[in-house]
Amino acid sequence: MLPLLRIGRGRLAAVLALTLAAPLAQAVYLNPRGQGQVLIYPYYTANAGYNTLLSLVNDSAQAKALKLRFHEGHNGRVVFSANLYLAPHDVWTGGVFAAPDGHAALVTDDNSCAVPDLRNAPGLPELPDGRSYTPFTTADFSGARADGGPTDAARTREGHIEVIEMGKLSGTSADAVAFTSNGGRLHPRACAQLIDAWRPAGYWTTNAATDLAAPGGGLYGNATVVDVAEGLVFSVPATALENFSVRSQHSAPDSAHPNLADAVSDTASGAVTAQVSLGTRTVSATYPAARAIDAISAVLATTYSAGESVWSHNSDALTEWVLAAPTKRFYVDATLQNAGFGGAPFQARNGDQSGGRACQLYPGDYNLSRYDRSTDTLIDFGTPAPQQTLCYDTTVLAIGGPNIGTQSPVLGSRTQNIVDAFEEGTVSLQWSTGATAPAQNGESFRGLPVIGWQLVNYFNGNIGALMSNYSAVTPLRGDAVCTRNGADC
């Protein structure tokens, strides 16, 4: 029998007081309920007649400062960035479309506070109805920032979106975003105050931490892709990361920070802990501040991406998958100056392949198999397996024939990879030979940090003078596997 520890009543009270006073450890994790401090929208597009409608909800009782950032699909370079300041329980909405000059652009009728002003800033181009819009920029992948990939406006038209909570607002800044009624219409009290705060000598230009406290979470959102002409619409919820940061990280609208490499769980050391669900249990892995991006890769890592496919020769049913790798750029892009560059799980570098791409080839990583229900057989795609499945920051996997063209048939994507056609079945992309960098205690998570979903479009044409087209979206399946110093966690 183990000996009992004898502690006097006074000492016991002191020990209990210390225990109760100790802060609970915080760890970043993937929230299955879809709420968090960080939202990752796997895809936006303004290609092929599509528009993308974005909704962002602050489902909390605190006013928030948020970073909204669009990353193009080729290498994840930034094409748009702004700060949003939302009141408690506020909703911000906007739409992405193809402007007349070919750039993607953002238009919003929402009067929530934004810096820069997205509705009334002088010099913005206008739609025929008089609404202003903000074109996306090619500056981050052209000129001195060229990365070997395309430099045209079309590159801005697809990619993924990130929203990062920078902190909770207080004081006069929180008062500025509070809604008031004027003529029966609700609007924030003083968005102009927040715009002025970022001007030269403004109070946030002088001290960005003014009126900011640590983030509190409670964000969620959706991206809805619409093709009005074809009568198609589908909606995808954002992936949510909870407990991303224990301190505020407020910055100017065009700042590169905070980004996914700025997670922090411990204010003293800057270390970040990832909490990863393994089904019936969770594993916590801690990374030093310089390797914070590895913690985000850990919570997103999956050993495979699996889903279904429906395809027909006359194109009345087509399937495409969207695969987003939101942390990939930190490992493949030398210009980000991140400690993750060239490390697991993405050892490739931008420009290793033609077109400025980073196509990491893992032995066995790209083995694809299919189950064809029409013949009740399991068929392998052959050897070698497709070698460019994840050449891009955001990849569209098109299920179709070898002459599918330079753009995918459904989404019109230019960052596509092709899988040979078959009528019906399943596809599984195996990432299991990849693995994240080890944490401080040796934990590593097999696979790649990939999120995505499958889209099936059914084109029935006109039935009884009515267009009868349909879309269905389903998340891709995957799992998490942890090893510690070569053994299972």
Side-chain angles (χ1 to χ4, degrees):
M1 184 175 68
L2 294 175
L4 295 175
L5 177 63
R6 295 181 179 271
I7 303 177
R9 184 174 299 174
R11 291 182 182 180
L12 178 59
V15 170
L16 288 175
L18 288 173
T19 302
L20 293 175
L24 295 175
Q26 177 160 307
V28 60
Y29 67 94
L30 186 66
N31 191 339
R33 296 181 181 273
Q35 287 192 337
Q37 292 181 7
V38 172
L39 301 180
I40 303 171
Y41 300 75
Y43 195 59
Y44 78 87
T45 182
N47 285 324
Y50 286 104
N51 299 326
T52 302
L53 308 180
L54 182 67
S55 68
L56 170 58
V57 181
N58 173 21
D59 190 26
S60 76
Q62 297 87 32
K64 304 280 189 181
L66 311 175
K67 183 76 69 179
L68 169 66
R69 195 178 283 127
F70 286 74
H71 295 271
E72 54 80 29
H74 195 90
N75 283 334
R77 296 291 179 91
V78 177
V79 293
F80 177 88
S81 180
N83 286 0
L84 300 178
Y85 299 96
L86 302 189
H89 306 294
D90 191 7
V91 182
W92 180 87
T93 59
V96 181
F97 68 101
D101 63 359
H103 289 78
L106 179 70
V107 63
T108 179
D109 295 323
D110 200 296
N111 60 10
S112 298
C113 296
V115 182
D117 189 343
L118 301 177
R119 300 177 65 216
N120 302 306
L124 288 178
E126 293 184 352
L127 295 170
D129 62 9
R131 290 181 296 164
S132 298
Y133 64 88
T134 305
F136 289 3
T137 176
T138 62
D140 202 27
F141 54 79
S142 61
R145 290 282 296 162
D147 58 2
T151 59
D152 58 349
R155 184 167 163 179
T156 68
R157 294 203 300 262
E158 64 181 324
H160 81 270
I161 309 164
E162 292 171 0
V163 175
I164 299 177
E165 181 184 351
M166 297 183 286
K168 300 190 293 283
L169 293 175
S170 61
T172 61
S173 299
D175 293 339
V177 303
F179 277 81
T180 185
S181 178
N182 184 2
R185 179 177 173 82
L186 290 175
H187 63 87
R189 286 196 177 100
C191 288
Q193 172 188 322
L194 306 186
I195 295 172
D196 289 341
W198 282 116
R199 299 190 192 278
Y203 65 84
W204 277 339
T205 302
T206 302
N207 181 7
T210 302
D211 290 346
L212 264 291
L219 305 177
Y220 71 89
N222 290 277
T224 302
V225 180
V226 181
D227 185 336
V228 176
E230 293 292 338
L232 296 171
V233 59
F234 56 91
S235 184
V236 181
T239 297
L241 304 182
E242 188 61 283
N243 291 347
F244 178 78
S245 177
V246 294
R247 61 189 177 203
S248 64
Q249 301 188 57
H250 194 209
S251 66
D254 59 353
S255 173
H257 301 278
N259 56 47
L260 293 182
D262 293 323
V264 57
S265 303
D266 185 284
T267 54
S269 67
V272 56
T273 298
Q275 183 173 291
V276 181
S277 174
L278 302 180
T280 59
R281 61 192 179 94
T282 60
V283 171
S284 294
T286 299
Y287 303 80
R291 303 289 303 190
I293 191 60
D294 291 334
I296 305 305
S297 292
V299 300
L300 297 177
T302 179
T303 59
Y304 67 90
S305 299
E308 300 176 51
S309 172
V310 179
W311 181 85
S312 66
H313 291 278
N314 58 7
S315 297
D316 59 7
L318 297 172
T319 299
E320 294 186 4
W321 288 13
V322 170
L323 299 165
T327 65
K328 180 181 178 183
R329 64 186 182 277
F330 295 99
Y331 301 91
V332 304
D333 191 343
T335 67
L336 292 180
Q337 299 297 311
N338 185 269
F341 177 63
F346 296 105
Q347 291 91 355
R349 290 151 167 82
N350 281 353
D352 282 356
Q353 285 78 29
S354 62
R357 298 173 300 165
C359 306
Q360 182 67 43
L361 305 181
Y362 299 98
D365 236 15
Y366 297 98
N367 290 338
L368 281 74
S369 61
R370 64 192 181 197
Y371 179 77
D372 193 333
R373 286 191 290 263
S374 62
T375 59
D376 198 30
T377 56
L378 181 66
I379 309 168
D380 187 70
F381 276 94
T383 303
Q387 297 295 299
Q388 298 182 355
T389 302
L390 283 182
C391 285
Y392 305 104
D393 179 88
T394 306
T395 299
V396 172
L397 187 70
I399 311 296
N403 299 317
I404 205 168
T406 59
Q407 299 182 26
S408 67
V410 178
L411 293 171
S413 173
R414 300 201 308 174
T415 60
Q416 64 163 335
N417 193 49
I418 301 168
V419 173
D420 290 340
F422 60 99
E423 293 295 330
E424 295 181 57
T426 62
V427 178
S428 180
L429 287 75
Q430 301 296 320
W431 318 122
S432 55
T433 58
T436 63
Q440 290 177 344
N441 292 329
E443 298 90 356
S444 182
F445 298 89
R446 290 171 55 192
L448 296 178
V450 175
I451 57 177
W453 40 269
Q454 65 186 37
L455 164 67
V456 181
N457 268 10
Y458 300 93
F459 301 91
N460 281 345
N462 292 333
I463 297 179
L466 297 176
M467 186 174 291
S468 300
N469 297 336
Y470 314 95
S471 297
V473 172
T474 307
L476 298 177
R477 275 73 175 173
D479 69 356
V481 174
C482 176
T483 60
R484 183 184 291 113
N485 300 320
D488 291 341
C489 294

Short mmCIF file of all heavy atoms in Angstrom, two decimals, residues 145-172:
data_model
loop_
_atom_site.label_atom_id
_atom_site.label_comp_id
_atom_site.label_asym_id
_atom_site.label_seq_id
_atom_site.Cartn_x
_atom_site.Cartn_y
_atom_site.Cartn_z
N ARG A 145 8.40 40.89 -55.72
CA ARG A 145 7.86 39.76 -54.96
C ARG A 145 7.51 38.57 -55.85
O ARG A 145 6.88 37.62 -55.39
CB ARG A 145 6.61 40.21 -54.20
CG ARG A 145 6.89 41.16 -53.05
CD ARG A 145 7.41 40.42 -51.85
NE ARG A 145 6.42 39.48 -51.32
CZ ARG A 145 6.72 38.47 -50.50
NH1 ARG A 145 7.97 38.25 -50.15
NH2 ARG A 145 5.78 37.67 -50.04
N ALA A 146 7.91 38.59 -57.11
CA ALA A 146 7.60 37.49 -58.02
C ALA A 146 8.17 36.18 -57.48
O ALA A 146 9.29 36.14 -56.95
CB ALA A 146 8.17 37.78 -59.41
N ASP A 147 7.39 35.10 -57.60
CA ASP A 147 7.79 33.81 -57.05
C ASP A 147 7.90 32.72 -58.10
O ASP A 147 7.99 31.54 -57.78
CB ASP A 147 6.80 33.37 -55.97
CG ASP A 147 5.36 33.27 -56.48
OD1 ASP A 147 5.14 33.50 -57.68
OD2 ASP A 147 4.47 32.97 -55.67
N GLY A 148 7.89 33.12 -59.38
CA GLY A 148 7.97 32.14 -60.45
C GLY A 148 6.64 31.66 -60.95
O GLY A 148 6.56 30.98 -61.98
N GLY A 149 5.56 31.98 -60.23
CA GLY A 149 4.23 31.60 -60.66
C GLY A 149 3.61 32.67 -61.54
O GLY A 149 4.25 33.68 -61.87
N PRO A 150 2.36 32.49 -61.94
CA PRO A 150 1.69 33.51 -62.75
C PRO A 150 1.66 34.85 -62.05
O PRO A 150 1.61 34.92 -60.81
CB PRO A 150 0.28 32.94 -62.92
CG PRO A 150 0.40 31.48 -62.66
CD PRO A 150 1.49 31.33 -61.66
N THR A 151 1.70 35.92 -62.80
CA THR A 151 1.65 37.27 -62.22
C THR A 151 0.41 38.03 -62.67
O THR A 151 0.29 39.23 -62.41
CB THR A 151 2.90 38.08 -62.62
OG1 THR A 151 2.98 38.16 -64.05
CG2 THR A 151 4.17 37.41 -62.10
N ASP A 152 -0.52 37.35 -63.34
CA ASP A 152 -1.69 38.03 -63.88
C ASP A 152 -2.80 38.15 -62.84
O ASP A 152 -2.75 37.57 -61.75
CB ASP A 152 -2.21 37.29 -65.12
CG ASP A 152 -2.57 35.84 -64.83
OD1 ASP A 152 -2.24 35.34 -63.73
OD2 ASP A 152 -3.18 35.20 -65.70
N ALA A 153 -3.82 38.91 -63.19
CA ALA A 153 -4.94 39.17 -62.28
C ALA A 153 -5.72 37.90 -61.97
O ALA A 153 -6.31 37.78 -60.88
CB ALA A 153 -5.86 40.22 -62.89
N ALA A 154 -5.73 36.94 -62.91
CA ALA A 154 -6.51 35.72 -62.69
C ALA A 154 -6.05 34.96 -61.45
O ALA A 154 -6.84 34.23 -60.84
CB ALA A 154 -6.42 34.81 -63.92
N ARG A 155 -4.79 35.14 -61.07
CA ARG A 155 -4.28 34.41 -59.89
C ARG A 155 -4.97 34.86 -58.60
O ARG A 155 -5.00 34.11 -57.63
CB ARG A 155 -2.76 34.62 -59.79
CG ARG A 155 -2.11 33.85 -58.67
CD ARG A 155 -0.60 33.84 -58.80
NE ARG A 155 0.04 33.47 -57.55
CZ ARG A 155 1.35 33.36 -57.36
NH1 ARG A 155 2.18 33.60 -58.37
NH2 ARG A 155 1.83 33.03 -56.19
N THR A 156 -5.54 36.04 -58.59
CA THR A 156 -6.23 36.53 -57.38
C THR A 156 -7.61 35.91 -57.20
O THR A 156 -8.23 36.09 -56.15
CB THR A 156 -6.40 38.06 -57.43
OG1 THR A 156 -7.32 38.42 -58.48
CG2 THR A 156 -5.07 38.76 -57.68
N ARG A 157 -8.10 35.17 -58.21
CA ARG A 157 -9.52 34.81 -58.23
C ARG A 157 -9.86 33.51 -57.49
O ARG A 157 -11.03 33.11 -57.48
CB ARG A 157 -10.02 34.74 -59.67
CG ARG A 157 -10.03 36.08 -60.38
CD ARG A 157 -11.00 36.10 -61.54
NE ARG A 157 -10.71 35.12 -62.54
CZ ARG A 157 -10.04 35.35 -63.67
NH1 ARG A 157 -9.56 36.57 -63.92
NH2 ARG A 157 -9.84 34.39 -64.54
N GLU A 158 -8.89 32.85 -56.86
CA GLU A 158 -9.22 31.69 -56.04
C GLU A 158 -8.14 31.50 -54.99
O GLU A 158 -7.00 31.92 -55.15
CB GLU A 158 -9.36 30.42 -56.88
CG GLU A 158 -8.08 29.98 -57.57
CD GLU A 158 -8.27 28.73 -58.41
OE1 GLU A 158 -9.05 27.84 -58.01
OE2 GLU A 158 -7.63 28.65 -59.48
N GLY A 159 -8.55 30.88 -53.88
CA GLY A 159 -7.62 30.64 -52.79
C GLY A 159 -8.39 30.33 -51.51
O GLY A 159 -9.50 29.81 -51.56
N HIS A 160 -7.78 30.65 -50.37
CA HIS A 160 -8.47 30.43 -49.10
C HIS A 160 -8.44 31.72 -48.27
O HIS A 160 -7.70 32.66 -48.58
CB HIS A 160 -7.86 29.24 -48.33
CG HIS A 160 -6.62 29.57 -47.56
ND1 HIS A 160 -5.35 29.46 -48.09
CD2 HIS A 160 -6.43 30.00 -46.29
CE1 HIS A 160 -4.45 29.80 -47.18
NE2 HIS A 160 -5.08 30.14 -46.07
N ILE A 161 -9.24 31.74 -47.22
CA ILE A 161 -9.44 32.95 -46.40
C ILE A 161 -9.11 32.61 -44.94
O ILE A 161 -9.44 31.53 -44.45
CB ILE A 161 -10.90 33.43 -46.48
CG1 ILE A 161 -11.35 33.57 -47.94
CG2 ILE A 161 -11.08 34.76 -45.74
CD1 ILE A 161 -12.85 33.67 -48.11
N GLU A 162 -8.48 33.57 -44.26
CA GLU A 162 -8.22 33.44 -42.84
C GLU A 162 -8.80 34.63 -42.09
O GLU A 162 -8.73 35.76 -42.55
CB GLU A 162 -6.71 33.39 -42.55
CG GLU A 162 -6.01 32.16 -43.05
CD GLU A 162 -4.50 32.29 -42.93
OE1 GLU A 162 -4.01 33.34 -42.44
OE2 GLU A 162 -3.81 31.34 -43.34
N VAL A 163 -9.35 34.36 -40.93
CA VAL A 163 -9.77 35.39 -39.99
C VAL A 163 -9.12 35.07 -38.65
O VAL A 163 -9.28 33.96 -38.14
CB VAL A 163 -11.30 35.46 -39.84
CG1 VAL A 163 -11.69 36.46 -38.76
CG2 VAL A 163 -11.95 35.82 -41.18
N ILE A 164 -8.38 36.01 -38.10
CA ILE A 164 -7.68 35.81 -36.83
C ILE A 164 -8.12 36.88 -35.85
O ILE A 164 -8.02 38.08 -36.14
CB ILE A 164 -6.16 35.85 -37.01
CG1 ILE A 164 -5.70 34.75 -37.97
CG2 ILE A 164 -5.45 35.72 -35.66
CD1 ILE A 164 -4.21 34.76 -38.25
N GLU A 165 -8.63 36.46 -34.69
CA GLU A 165 -8.98 37.42 -33.66
C GLU A 165 -7.71 38.01 -33.06
O GLU A 165 -6.85 37.28 -32.55
CB GLU A 165 -9.83 36.78 -32.57
CG GLU A 165 -10.24 37.79 -31.49
CD GLU A 165 -11.01 37.18 -30.34
OE1 GLU A 165 -11.39 36.00 -30.43
OE2 GLU A 165 -11.23 37.91 -29.34
N MET A 166 -7.59 39.34 -33.09
CA MET A 166 -6.42 40.01 -32.53
C MET A 166 -6.63 40.39 -31.06
O MET A 166 -5.66 40.63 -30.34
CB MET A 166 -6.08 41.25 -33.35
CG MET A 166 -5.69 40.92 -34.79
SD MET A 166 -5.20 42.36 -35.77
CE MET A 166 -6.80 43.13 -36.05
N GLY A 167 -7.88 40.47 -30.64
CA GLY A 167 -8.14 40.78 -29.24
C GLY A 167 -9.53 41.32 -29.03
O GLY A 167 -10.28 41.59 -29.99
N LYS A 168 -9.91 41.48 -27.75
CA LYS A 168 -11.19 42.07 -27.37
C LYS A 168 -11.01 43.57 -27.19
O LYS A 168 -10.02 44.03 -26.61
CB LYS A 168 -11.72 41.43 -26.09
CG LYS A 168 -11.95 39.93 -26.17
CD LYS A 168 -12.70 39.43 -24.94
CE LYS A 168 -11.89 39.53 -23.66
NZ LYS A 168 -10.87 38.47 -23.57
N LEU A 169 -11.98 44.32 -27.68
CA LEU A 169 -11.94 45.77 -27.55
C LEU A 169 -12.52 46.22 -26.21
O LEU A 169 -13.44 45.59 -25.67
CB LEU A 169 -12.75 46.42 -28.68
CG LEU A 169 -12.21 46.28 -30.10
CD1 LEU A 169 -13.20 46.89 -31.09
CD2 LEU A 169 -10.84 46.93 -30.24
N SER A 170 -11.98 47.32 -25.70
CA SER A 170 -12.51 47.92 -24.48
C SER A 170 -12.50 49.44 -24.64
O SER A 170 -12.10 49.97 -25.68
CB SER A 170 -11.66 47.51 -23.27
OG SER A 170 -10.32 47.95 -23.42
N GLY A 171 -12.93 50.14 -23.60
CA GLY A 171 -12.84 51.60 -23.59
C GLY A 171 -13.59 52.27 -24.72
O GLY A 171 -14.62 51.78 -25.21
N THR A 172 -13.05 53.40 -25.20
CA THR A 172 -13.72 54.16 -26.25
C THR A 172 -13.74 53.40 -27.57
O THR A 172 -14.61 53.65 -28.41
CB THR A 172 -13.03 55.52 -26.44
OG1 THR A 172 -11.67 55.33 -26.84
CG2 THR A 172 -13.07 56.34 -25.16
#
